[in-house]
C-alpha cells in the first residue's frame, strides 16, 4: 500500500485523554491531522471541502455528533465519517449509519484498530498524488541500533527513555524467550537498587505503549510471575 501522505483527517473529540494520543498516532502515520472539540466549528471546517476523513465523537459539548454527521452530509460533503462512541448499543450503530456515517467504533478501542479502519476508509478515496512510496509501510520492522541507542518502527523513530531502551535492547537480545524480572532488574537497574519492582512494570508499560502507538510489529508480552518476552521479528541495525 502506498503511504497516503496527503490525506487530511479531522478529529472531533472533546476528551483530551483520547484526542491527544489519537492526534499523535495519526500524525505519525503521515496523515495531516486537525483537531476540534466542538461540533459546530467541525461542520464549518468540513464545509471548506478538503477533509478526507472525519473522526467524530458522539458526545460533544455543543451539538451531538449525530447532528454533526447530518449537517455535514446535508452540506454535500462526501468525506469519510468514522464515529467514536461510548454508547455501545446496536441502536446507535444503526442511527449513526443512517445519518451518513461510514463506520463506527465503540470506546474503548485500540489504536491499531482505529488505524486499520482509517486506512480502510481512506483507501476508497483518491489521495492527492504524493508519489511517496517510501513511507513507513515500505519499511516494516522494528529496528534497534544499540550503538546510537535509537529505535525505529516502520521507518520512524520511537523516542524512548534510557531505561525503556535498556529493557527493549535486552528483550531484543533474547527475543522469543522469556527474560526474567530478576535479570531485567539486575541488568537495567543498578544491582544496588532496593526499590520496588513496580518501576520495572511502569517502564515496560510505557515501552509497550510507545511501541504499540508506533505500530511496531514487536510486542512486549508479559509472562505472569516470570518476566517478559519480545515477540515477532525485530531486526537489529
Ligand atoms: Ca465526548
Amino acid at each position: 500500500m502506498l503511504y497516503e501522505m496527503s490525506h487530511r483527517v479531522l478529529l472531533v473529540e472533546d476528551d483530551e485523554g483520547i484526542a491527544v494520543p489519537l492526534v499523535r498516532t495519526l500524525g505519525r502515520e503521515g496523515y495531516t491531522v486537525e483537531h476540534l472539540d466542538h461540533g459546530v466549528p467541525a461542520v464549518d471546517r468540513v464545509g471548506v471541502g478538503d477533509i478526507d476523513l472525519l473522526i467524530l465523537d458522539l458526545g460533544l459539548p455543543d451539538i451531538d455528533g449525530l447532528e454533526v454527521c447530518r449537517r455535514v452530509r446535508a452540506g454535500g460533503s462526501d468525506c469519510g465519517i468514522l464515529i467514536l462512541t461510548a454508547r455501545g448499543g446496536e441502536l446507535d450503530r444503526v442511527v449513526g449509519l443512517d445519518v451518513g456515517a461510514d463506520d463506527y467504533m465503540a470506546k474503548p478501542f485500540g489504536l491499531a484498530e482505529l488505524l486499520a479502519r482509517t486506512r480502510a476508509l481512506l483507501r476508497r478515496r483518491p489521495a492527492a498524488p504524493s508519489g511517496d512510496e517510501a513511507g513507513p509501510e515500505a519499511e516494516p520492522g522494528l529496528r534497534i541500533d544499540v550503538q546510537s541507542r535509537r529505535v525505529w518502527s516502520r521507518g520512524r523513530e520511537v523516542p524512548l527513555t534510557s531505561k525503556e531502551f535498556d529493557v527493549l535492547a535486552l528483550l531484543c537480545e533474547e527475543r522469543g524467550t522469556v527474560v526474567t524480572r530478576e535479570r531485567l532488574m539486575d541488568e537495567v537497574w543498578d544491582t544496588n537498587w532496593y526499590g520496588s519492582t513496580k518501576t520495572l512494570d511502569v517502564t515496560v508499560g510505557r515501552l509497550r505503549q510507545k511501541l504499540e502507538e508506533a505500530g511496531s510489529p514487536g510486542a512486549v508480552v508479559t509472562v505472569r510471575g516470570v518476566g517478559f518476552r519480545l515477540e515477532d521479528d525485530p531486526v537489529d541495525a
Side-chain angles (χ1 to χ4, degrees):
M1 195 193 116
L2 296 185
Y3 179 34
E4 295 168 328
M5 180 173 248
S6 51
H7 275 136
R8 191 175 289 270
V9 176
L10 173 61
L11 173 66
V12 186
E13 167 65 74
D14 61 321
D15 182 342
E16 284 230 328
I18 293 173
V20 170
L22 268 189
V23 166
R24 196 167 48 215
T25 300
L26 289 164
R28 279 205 195 117
E29 285 295 296
Y31 301 116
T32 303
V33 190
E34 295 178 29
H35 170 226
L36 292 170
D37 56 8
H38 280 66
V40 171
V43 174
D44 292 343
R45 179 62 192 87
V46 172
V48 173
D50 59 347
I51 298 295
D52 294 302
L53 176 66
L54 177 60
I55 300 180
L56 184 61
D57 178 34
L58 282 193
L60 295 168
D62 53 354
I63 56 172
D64 192 274
L66 292 177
E67 183 57 26
V68 174
C69 207
R70 228 176 257 120
R71 291 189 194 181
V72 159
R73 290 302 187 224
S77 172
D78 66 345
C79 72
I81 300 180
L82 170 59
I83 284 182
L84 306 178
T85 181
R87 311 172 198 171
E90 185 67 18
L91 180 65
D92 276 316
R93 177 183 169 80
V94 173
V95 169
L97 299 183
D98 197 45
V99 296
D102 297 295
D103 201 359
Y104 163 98
M105 284 184 76
K107 295 174 185 176
F109 50 83
L111 290 173
E113 191 190 356
L114 179 108
L115 290 175
R117 305 274 191 109
T118 297
R119 277 195 294 269
L121 285 171
L122 289 172
R123 197 171 294 142
R124 308 196 310 234
R125 304 180 59 81
S130 66
D132 183 1
E133 295 183 36
E137 299 265 346
E139 191 186 343
L142 181 65
R143 196 154 62 86
I144 300 173
D145 183 344
V146 175
Q147 288 202 325
S148 69
R149 297 176 62 82
R150 294 170 76 189
V151 174
W152 293 266
S153 169
R154 300 163 73 200
R156 281 165 190 256
E157 186 160 8
V158 184
L160 296 182
T161 65
S162 175
K163 295 299 186 200
E164 289 163 2
F165 180 87
D166 289 341
V167 168
L168 179 61
L170 182 53
L171 290 175
C172 187
E173 213 178 290
E174 304 289 340
R175 77 191 64 151
T177 64
V178 181
V179 180
T180 64
R181 300 174 61 88
E182 289 75 19
R183 184 169 169 207
L184 280 161
M185 290 304 294
D186 277 355
E187 295 196 18
V188 175
W189 281 270
D190 198 285
T191 44
N192 295 319
W193 171 264
Y194 296 114
S196 158
T197 61
K198 191 158 176 22
T199 307
L200 171 61
D201 292 300
V202 170
T203 304
V204 169
R206 276 199 306 253
L207 171 62
R208 182 182 281 139
Q209 188 185 356
K210 286 181 182 179
L211 292 177
E212 193 183 302
E213 282 177 9
S216 167
V220 180
V221 175
T222 303
V223 182
R224 281 189 69 174
V226 183
F228 303 94
R229 181 176 68 225
L230 185 67
E231 288 203 336
D232 282 335
D233 297 316
V235 179
D236 281 311

